[in-house]
Amino acid sequence: MFGMVILTYILASVFAIAGMGAAGVLIPNYIAMGLGVHAAMLLGLMQNTAELTVATAMNWKKGLIEWRTVARVFVPAALFVPLGAYVNVHIPRVLVLVAFALFLLFALYRMLSSGMVEGGDGWKIYALGAVEGFTAGLIGMDAAPIALIAFSYFSRNPKKVSANTAATALGVSSVTLLTYTIMLPKIPIAMETLVAVGTAGFLGGITGSLLMHRIKPLYVRYTMLAILSLALVEIVKKIFEVNVPETLHVLSVGVVVGGFLAFLYGMGRRMARRPSPAP
């Protein structure tokens, strides 16, 4: 358990700098350590909640959080979390892994596509909130990159975007954690493990928040890209190795391959649209 606690602290520290929970990377690592999917989700949500609680408190103290803006994303997200969780517990495990892989591809795409979007149509914001909530319930995490997109409609200030994302992710993680606790009350996790991981997440949130103004964002971004990529490789490996009926296996692999091709296509289009350097 010591290794799990250290890993949780390190990743929580890194992700807190960007206002994101580390569950997206920690869950596949928890699974690799022998936990079941739902147990790993519960543990990841516990550390997310602890990590983002302190990060949000420190951001609020600095006056970076815009609560009205946060509410526009969080309210629809909270309403759709139970629907995603319901779908999760009623579909095969491999499909949850497929959803997780697609989400990680999406997160990588958003991190590599660093440009800010323009405009602020109300329905887009609410729709993104609903998508975040459903995705969070489905994959058992906060789906913070979706909130990141929503808040980029409101502000070009990266500190405010990060702070608002953290506040929303905290609320979504808490609702998702409560939903899974109600729906799956007998998940086998020792109380000392929950406490240890929650404490590591809390301390990681403090460390990440303190480092926010001391580390160049570019270095943090590269670190997160590497971690998300490793998590994606791990999840895809499990999808290829899972023991399910052949038709379901082919479908799962096909969807992941299609998602990867869409990722490459999207990145190719963005590269093609970049202006050529002046001669």
Side-chain angles (χ1 to χ4, degrees):
M1 187 175 70
F2 180 73
M4 183 183 295
V5 170
I6 295 299
L7 179 67
T8 300
Y9 170 74
I10 292 173
L11 294 181
S13 300
V14 173
F15 277 77
I17 297 171
M20 299 169 62
V25 175
L26 286 170
I27 289 173
N29 280 281
Y30 292 156
I31 293 172
M33 292 176 182
L35 291 177
V37 172
H38 290 141
M41 287 179 176
L42 188 65
L43 208 58
L45 287 167
M46 174 63 74
Q47 87 76 30
N48 253 27
T49 303
E51 170 205 331
L52 294 170
T53 294
V54 64
T56 298
M58 296 177 75
N59 289 333
W60 187 16
K61 187 176 180 181
K62 294 180 179 295
L64 294 174
I65 300 177
E66 301 165 328
W67 290 109
R68 286 189 177 183
T69 304
V70 168
R72 293 179 64 182
V73 179
F74 170 69
V75 171
L79 293 175
F80 276 82
V81 164
L83 178 61
Y86 178 83
V87 172
N88 175 291
V89 299
H90 287 87
I91 63 175
R93 172 178 177 264
V94 66
L95 296 182
V96 178
L97 294 175
V98 168
F100 210 159
L102 293 178
F103 177 79
L104 288 172
L105 275 170
F106 175 74
L108 284 168
Y109 176 77
R110 286 305 306 172
M111 292 186 69
L112 288 169
S113 307
S114 57
M116 304 289 284
V117 293
E118 300 287 347
D121 294 328
W123 71 268
K124 292 181 182 179
I125 306 305
Y126 295 124
L128 285 168
V131 171
E132 179 184 3
F134 179 80
T135 305
L138 180 63
I139 64 178
M141 52 178 287
D142 55 65
I146 300 177
L148 199 66
I149 299 170
F151 291 121
S152 67
Y153 278 92
F154 293 108
S155 175
R156 284 182 173 271
N157 183 334
K159 291 183 180 179
K160 287 189 175 182
V161 172
S162 174
N164 289 335
T165 299
T168 304
L170 169 61
V172 172
S173 287
S174 301
V175 173
T176 309
L177 177 60
L178 178 62
T179 301
Y180 273 102
T181 302
I182 294 172
M183 295 179 68
L184 301 168
K186 296 182 179 180
I187 296 178
I189 300 180
M191 181 57 67
E192 55 267 27
T193 302
L194 280 173
V195 172
V197 169
T199 302
F202 185 84
L203 295 175
I206 294 175
T207 303
S209 298
L210 291 175
L211 290 174
M212 185 190 297
H213 301 289
R214 295 184 174 89
I215 296 180
K216 292 183 178 179
L218 188 62
Y219 296 155
V220 178
R221 185 161 169 256
Y222 286 156
T223 302
M224 292 172 68
L225 283 169
I227 294 172
L228 286 173
S229 299
L230 290 173
L232 176 62
V233 170
E234 196 169 333
I235 289 294
V236 171
K237 181 181 176 183
K238 289 184 178 296
I239 292 171
F240 274 89
E241 295 175 348
V242 71
N243 185 20
V244 295
E246 183 178 356
T247 302
L248 182 58
H249 189 261
V250 171
L251 175 64
S252 301
V253 172
V255 170
V256 172
V257 171
F260 182 68
L261 292 176
F263 169 81
L264 293 178
Y265 175 74
M267 292 305 303
R269 288 196 62 183
R270 292 194 67 86
M271 294 294 293
R273 287 200 302 264
R274 286 185 179 179
S276 301

